[in-house]
Amino acid sequence: MATDKTIQNDQAAKAFILSGDPNKAMQQMMDTIDSLREVYREENDALHRSDTKYFLGLQDRKIAIARDYQSGAQQLLERKSDLQHIDVALKEQLNDMQKDFSGLMTENMKELDRMRRGVNRLNDKIMSSAREAARKRNVNYSQAGSLNINERAVSIGLSEQV
């Protein structure tokens, strides 16, 4: 059984550490951004095709790369004074990558919202069909013993005791 200390040690061993050379560190961050951008492209494609299996299969990889990105960004912030000495071309390339990445993130958010709306519509259709079926199949009797159609609301939620 893993303890908290074991888990922390495992995480520290897998930590994303940037190079001491500012130019190499910046290149490592750009490589991480490229990896994250590729995952988002695949995710957007899966969302566009409504391929939920593939979409869900990407999540572990996306989380791992996002953690590396977050760790690298934190390291860069801590070494801000060192980064003033990196190549101007590298800085411009990083800015261009960030702009491209922002556009990709916007597209990802739109695709996720589209998928969410579709799932909500499906859920609403299922619930209304279930309510209609319950209303039609649920019978009751009047005081005189005749058969009435059930006009009251019928709960179709699951009981926690079940």
PDB file of all heavy atoms in Angstrom, residues 43-50 105-117:
ATOM      1  N   GLU A  43      -7.508  15.996 -29.460  1.00  0.00           N
ATOM      2  CA  GLU A  43      -8.738  16.088 -28.678  1.00  0.00           C
ATOM      3  C   GLU A  43      -9.823  16.817 -29.461  1.00  0.00           C
ATOM      4  O   GLU A  43     -10.979  16.380 -29.490  1.00  0.00           O
ATOM      5  CB  GLU A  43      -8.456  16.813 -27.364  1.00  0.00           C
ATOM      6  CG  GLU A  43      -9.627  16.833 -26.416  1.00  0.00           C
ATOM      7  CD  GLU A  43      -9.259  17.464 -25.091  1.00  0.00           C
ATOM      8  OE1 GLU A  43      -8.793  16.742 -24.206  1.00  0.00           O
ATOM      9  OE2 GLU A  43      -9.464  18.694 -24.965  1.00  0.00           O
ATOM     10  N   ASN A  44      -9.462  17.925 -30.103  1.00  0.00           N
ATOM     11  CA  ASN A  44     -10.432  18.662 -30.915  1.00  0.00           C
ATOM     12  C   ASN A  44     -10.977  17.797 -32.046  1.00  0.00           C
ATOM     13  O   ASN A  44     -12.174  17.822 -32.341  1.00  0.00           O
ATOM     14  CB  ASN A  44      -9.814  19.941 -31.483  1.00  0.00           C
ATOM     15  CG  ASN A  44      -9.627  21.010 -30.430  1.00  0.00           C
ATOM     16  OD1 ASN A  44     -10.166  20.915 -29.336  1.00  0.00           O
ATOM     17  ND2 ASN A  44      -8.843  22.015 -30.757  1.00  0.00           N
ATOM     18  N   ASP A  45     -10.090  17.035 -32.670  1.00  0.00           N
ATOM     19  CA  ASP A  45     -10.516  16.138 -33.738  1.00  0.00           C
ATOM     20  C   ASP A  45     -11.483  15.082 -33.198  1.00  0.00           C
ATOM     21  O   ASP A  45     -12.517  14.804 -33.810  1.00  0.00           O
ATOM     22  CB  ASP A  45      -9.296  15.471 -34.384  1.00  0.00           C
ATOM     23  CG  ASP A  45      -9.678  14.598 -35.560  1.00  0.00           C
ATOM     24  OD1 ASP A  45     -10.418  15.077 -36.441  1.00  0.00           O
ATOM     25  OD2 ASP A  45      -9.239  13.429 -35.594  1.00  0.00           O
ATOM     26  N   ALA A  46     -11.156  14.510 -32.045  1.00  0.00           N
ATOM     27  CA  ALA A  46     -12.036  13.499 -31.432  1.00  0.00           C
ATOM     28  C   ALA A  46     -13.377  14.112 -31.069  1.00  0.00           C
ATOM     29  O   ALA A  46     -14.433  13.488 -31.274  1.00  0.00           O
ATOM     30  CB  ALA A  46     -11.368  12.899 -30.192  1.00  0.00           C
ATOM     31  N   LEU A  47     -13.367  15.327 -30.536  1.00  0.00           N
ATOM     32  CA  LEU A  47     -14.627  15.999 -30.194  1.00  0.00           C
ATOM     33  C   LEU A  47     -15.442  16.295 -31.444  1.00  0.00           C
ATOM     34  O   LEU A  47     -16.662  16.123 -31.447  1.00  0.00           O
ATOM     35  CB  LEU A  47     -14.345  17.300 -29.436  1.00  0.00           C
ATOM     36  CG  LEU A  47     -13.874  17.146 -28.003  1.00  0.00           C
ATOM     37  CD1 LEU A  47     -13.362  18.482 -27.465  1.00  0.00           C
ATOM     38  CD2 LEU A  47     -14.975  16.602 -27.119  1.00  0.00           C
ATOM     39  N   HIS A  48     -14.767  16.732 -32.486  1.00  0.00           N
ATOM     40  CA  HIS A  48     -15.471  17.038 -33.737  1.00  0.00           C
ATOM     41  C   HIS A  48     -16.124  15.792 -34.315  1.00  0.00           C
ATOM     42  O   HIS A  48     -17.217  15.848 -34.874  1.00  0.00           O
ATOM     43  CB  HIS A  48     -14.495  17.661 -34.740  1.00  0.00           C
ATOM     44  CG  HIS A  48     -15.146  18.157 -35.979  1.00  0.00           C
ATOM     45  ND1 HIS A  48     -15.941  19.285 -35.995  1.00  0.00           N
ATOM     46  CD2 HIS A  48     -15.149  17.669 -37.239  1.00  0.00           C
ATOM     47  CE1 HIS A  48     -16.403  19.461 -37.211  1.00  0.00           C
ATOM     48  NE2 HIS A  48     -15.933  18.503 -37.992  1.00  0.00           N
ATOM     49  N   ARG A  49     -15.446  14.645 -34.172  1.00  0.00           N
ATOM     50  CA  ARG A  49     -15.986  13.381 -34.674  1.00  0.00           C
ATOM     51  C   ARG A  49     -16.902  12.705 -33.656  1.00  0.00           C
ATOM     52  O   ARG A  49     -17.434  11.635 -33.916  1.00  0.00           O
ATOM     53  CB  ARG A  49     -14.842  12.416 -35.020  1.00  0.00           C
ATOM     54  CG  ARG A  49     -14.014  12.834 -36.202  1.00  0.00           C
ATOM     55  CD  ARG A  49     -12.897  11.839 -36.531  1.00  0.00           C
ATOM     56  NE  ARG A  49     -11.844  11.887 -35.510  1.00  0.00           N
ATOM     57  CZ  ARG A  49     -11.502  10.873 -34.706  1.00  0.00           C
ATOM     58  NH1 ARG A  49     -12.106   9.725 -34.784  1.00  0.00           N
ATOM     59  NH2 ARG A  49     -10.539  11.013 -33.823  1.00  0.00           N
ATOM     60  N   SER A  50     -17.056  13.313 -32.477  1.00  0.00           N
ATOM     61  CA  SER A  50     -17.842  12.739 -31.369  1.00  0.00           C
ATOM     62  C   SER A  50     -17.315  11.364 -30.967  1.00  0.00           C
ATOM     63  O   SER A  50     -18.072  10.471 -30.609  1.00  0.00           O
ATOM     64  CB  SER A  50     -19.323  12.658 -31.730  1.00  0.00           C
ATOM     65  OG  SER A  50     -19.833  13.944 -31.992  1.00  0.00           O
ATOM     66  N   MET A 105      -6.774  26.531 -27.968  1.00  0.00           N
ATOM     67  CA  MET A 105      -7.551  26.401 -26.735  1.00  0.00           C
ATOM     68  C   MET A 105      -8.973  26.944 -26.919  1.00  0.00           C
ATOM     69  O   MET A 105      -9.926  26.370 -26.416  1.00  0.00           O
ATOM     70  CB  MET A 105      -6.855  27.138 -25.581  1.00  0.00           C
ATOM     71  CG  MET A 105      -5.585  26.474 -25.109  1.00  0.00           C
ATOM     72  SD  MET A 105      -5.885  24.855 -24.400  1.00  0.00           S
ATOM     73  CE  MET A 105      -6.956  25.263 -23.060  1.00  0.00           C
ATOM     74  N   THR A 106      -9.103  28.028 -27.650  1.00  0.00           N
ATOM     75  CA  THR A 106     -10.431  28.595 -27.924  1.00  0.00           C
ATOM     76  C   THR A 106     -11.265  27.604 -28.723  1.00  0.00           C
ATOM     77  O   THR A 106     -12.442  27.367 -28.413  1.00  0.00           O
ATOM     78  CB  THR A 106     -10.294  29.929 -28.689  1.00  0.00           C
ATOM     79  OG1 THR A 106      -9.543  30.840 -27.895  1.00  0.00           O
ATOM     80  CG2 THR A 106     -11.654  30.526 -29.007  1.00  0.00           C
ATOM     81  N   GLU A 107     -10.645  26.996 -29.729  1.00  0.00           N
ATOM     82  CA  GLU A 107     -11.341  25.983 -30.531  1.00  0.00           C
ATOM     83  C   GLU A 107     -11.740  24.793 -29.653  1.00  0.00           C
ATOM     84  O   GLU A 107     -12.844  24.260 -29.769  1.00  0.00           O
ATOM     85  CB  GLU A 107     -10.439  25.505 -31.664  1.00  0.00           C
ATOM     86  CG  GLU A 107     -11.081  24.473 -32.566  1.00  0.00           C
ATOM     87  CD  GLU A 107     -10.117  23.944 -33.620  1.00  0.00           C
ATOM     88  OE1 GLU A 107      -9.117  24.611 -33.924  1.00  0.00           O
ATOM     89  OE2 GLU A 107     -10.394  22.849 -34.140  1.00  0.00           O
ATOM     90  N   ASN A 108     -10.848  24.393 -28.746  1.00  0.00           N
ATOM     91  CA  ASN A 108     -11.122  23.278 -27.843  1.00  0.00           C
ATOM     92  C   ASN A 108     -12.324  23.590 -26.961  1.00  0.00           C
ATOM     93  O   ASN A 108     -13.197  22.738 -26.764  1.00  0.00           O
ATOM     94  CB  ASN A 108      -9.886  22.978 -26.987  1.00  0.00           C
ATOM     95  CG  ASN A 108     -10.058  21.766 -26.120  1.00  0.00           C
ATOM     96  OD1 ASN A 108     -10.366  21.893 -24.941  1.00  0.00           O
ATOM     97  ND2 ASN A 108      -9.839  20.590 -26.683  1.00  0.00           N
ATOM     98  N   MET A 109     -12.381  24.791 -26.434  1.00  0.00           N
ATOM     99  CA  MET A 109     -13.506  25.185 -25.578  1.00  0.00           C
ATOM    100  C   MET A 109     -14.826  25.173 -26.353  1.00  0.00           C
ATOM    101  O   MET A 109     -15.853  24.745 -25.831  1.00  0.00           O
ATOM    102  CB  MET A 109     -13.259  26.568 -24.964  1.00  0.00           C
ATOM    103  CG  MET A 109     -12.091  26.597 -23.987  1.00  0.00           C
ATOM    104  SD  MET A 109     -12.262  25.458 -22.618  1.00  0.00           S
ATOM    105  CE  MET A 109     -13.570  26.209 -21.710  1.00  0.00           C
ATOM    106  N   LYS A 110     -14.789  25.605 -27.608  1.00  0.00           N
ATOM    107  CA  LYS A 110     -15.995  25.579 -28.436  1.00  0.00           C
ATOM    108  C   LYS A 110     -16.453  24.146 -28.686  1.00  0.00           C
ATOM    109  O   LYS A 110     -17.648  23.837 -28.611  1.00  0.00           O
ATOM    110  CB  LYS A 110     -15.746  26.285 -29.773  1.00  0.00           C
ATOM    111  CG  LYS A 110     -15.655  27.780 -29.671  1.00  0.00           C
ATOM    112  CD  LYS A 110     -15.370  28.396 -31.029  1.00  0.00           C
ATOM    113  CE  LYS A 110     -15.172  29.886 -30.919  1.00  0.00           C
ATOM    114  NZ  LYS A 110     -14.800  30.480 -32.217  1.00  0.00           N
ATOM    115  N   GLU A 111     -15.506  23.257 -28.983  1.00  0.00           N
ATOM    116  CA  GLU A 111     -15.849  21.850 -29.231  1.00  0.00           C
ATOM    117  C   GLU A 111     -16.391  21.197 -27.957  1.00  0.00           C
ATOM    118  O   GLU A 111     -17.345  20.414 -28.014  1.00  0.00           O
ATOM    119  CB  GLU A 111     -14.643  21.069 -29.753  1.00  0.00           C
ATOM    120  CG  GLU A 111     -14.250  21.413 -31.169  1.00  0.00           C
ATOM    121  CD  GLU A 111     -15.272  20.969 -32.204  1.00  0.00           C
ATOM    122  OE1 GLU A 111     -16.024  19.992 -31.973  1.00  0.00           O
ATOM    123  OE2 GLU A 111     -15.332  21.609 -33.268  1.00  0.00           O
ATOM    124  N   LEU A 112     -15.786  21.499 -26.822  1.00  0.00           N
ATOM    125  CA  LEU A 112     -16.280  20.947 -25.556  1.00  0.00           C
ATOM    126  C   LEU A 112     -17.694  21.448 -25.251  1.00  0.00           C
ATOM    127  O   LEU A 112     -18.545  20.678 -24.792  1.00  0.00           O
ATOM    128  CB  LEU A 112     -15.339  21.312 -24.399  1.00  0.00           C
ATOM    129  CG  LEU A 112     -14.044  20.534 -24.314  1.00  0.00           C
ATOM    130  CD1 LEU A 112     -13.119  21.157 -23.276  1.00  0.00           C
ATOM    131  CD2 LEU A 112     -14.299  19.071 -23.991  1.00  0.00           C
ATOM    132  N   ASP A 113     -17.939  22.719 -25.527  1.00  0.00           N
ATOM    133  CA  ASP A 113     -19.271  23.272 -25.305  1.00  0.00           C
ATOM    134  C   ASP A 113     -20.292  22.632 -26.233  1.00  0.00           C
ATOM    135  O   ASP A 113     -21.410  22.315 -25.833  1.00  0.00           O
ATOM    136  CB  ASP A 113     -19.247  24.795 -25.499  1.00  0.00           C
ATOM    137  CG  ASP A 113     -20.548  25.435 -25.080  1.00  0.00           C
ATOM    138  OD1 ASP A 113     -21.014  25.162 -23.955  1.00  0.00           O
ATOM    139  OD2 ASP A 113     -21.107  26.219 -25.883  1.00  0.00           O
ATOM    140  N   ARG A 114     -19.895  22.402 -27.493  1.00  0.00           N
ATOM    141  CA  ARG A 114     -20.790  21.741 -28.447  1.00  0.00           C
ATOM    142  C   ARG A 114     -21.134  20.334 -27.969  1.00  0.00           C
ATOM    143  O   ARG A 114     -22.291  19.912 -27.997  1.00  0.00           O
ATOM    144  CB  ARG A 114     -20.129  21.685 -29.831  1.00  0.00           C
ATOM    145  CG  ARG A 114     -21.013  21.090 -30.924  1.00  0.00           C
ATOM    146  CD  ARG A 114     -20.260  20.944 -32.238  1.00  0.00           C
ATOM    147  NE  ARG A 114     -19.183  19.989 -32.183  1.00  0.00           N
ATOM    148  CZ  ARG A 114     -19.347  18.665 -32.279  1.00  0.00           C
ATOM    149  NH1 ARG A 114     -20.539  18.146 -32.424  1.00  0.00           N
ATOM    150  NH2 ARG A 114     -18.306  17.849 -32.230  1.00  0.00           N
ATOM    151  N   MET A 115     -20.125  19.619 -27.484  1.00  0.00           N
ATOM    152  CA  MET A 115     -20.342  18.267 -26.983  1.00  0.00           C
ATOM    153  C   MET A 115     -21.241  18.284 -25.744  1.00  0.00           C
ATOM    154  O   MET A 115     -22.139  17.464 -25.604  1.00  0.00           O
ATOM    155  CB  MET A 115     -19.002  17.608 -26.649  1.00  0.00           C
ATOM    156  CG  MET A 115     -19.123  16.175 -26.179  1.00  0.00           C
ATOM    157  SD  MET A 115     -19.767  15.049 -27.421  1.00  0.00           S
ATOM    158  CE  MET A 115     -18.327  14.817 -28.405  1.00  0.00           C
ATOM    159  N   ARG A 116     -21.015  19.245 -24.859  1.00  0.00           N
ATOM    160  CA  ARG A 116     -21.833  19.357 -23.648  1.00  0.00           C
ATOM    161  C   ARG A 116     -23.297  19.612 -24.000  1.00  0.00           C
ATOM    162  O   ARG A 116     -24.202  18.982 -23.452  1.00  0.00           O
ATOM    163  CB  ARG A 116     -21.304  20.490 -22.753  1.00  0.00           C
ATOM    164  CG  ARG A 116     -22.101  20.674 -21.452  1.00  0.00           C
ATOM    165  CD  ARG A 116     -21.721  21.949 -20.725  1.00  0.00           C
ATOM    166  NE  ARG A 116     -21.808  23.140 -21.540  1.00  0.00           N
ATOM    167  CZ  ARG A 116     -22.941  23.768 -21.842  1.00  0.00           C
ATOM    168  NH1 ARG A 116     -24.092  23.306 -21.420  1.00  0.00           N
ATOM    169  NH2 ARG A 116     -22.933  24.863 -22.581  1.00  0.00           N
ATOM    170  N   ARG A 117     -23.529  20.504 -24.948  1.00  0.00           N
ATOM    171  CA  ARG A 117     -24.906  20.787 -25.367  1.00  0.00           C
ATOM    172  C   ARG A 117     -25.559  19.545 -25.966  1.00  0.00           C
ATOM    173  O   ARG A 117     -26.732  19.265 -25.712  1.00  0.00           O
ATOM    174  CB  ARG A 117     -24.941  21.949 -26.363  1.00  0.00           C
ATOM    175  CG  ARG A 117     -24.693  23.295 -25.720  1.00  0.00           C
ATOM    176  CD  ARG A 117     -24.986  24.465 -26.674  1.00  0.00           C
ATOM    177  NE  ARG A 117     -24.557  24.267 -28.043  1.00  0.00           N
ATOM    178  CZ  ARG A 117     -23.409  24.676 -28.561  1.00  0.00           C
ATOM    179  NH1 ARG A 117     -22.551  25.318 -27.817  1.00  0.00           N
ATOM    180  NH2 ARG A 117     -23.113  24.450 -29.829  1.00  0.00           N
TER     181      ARG A 117
END
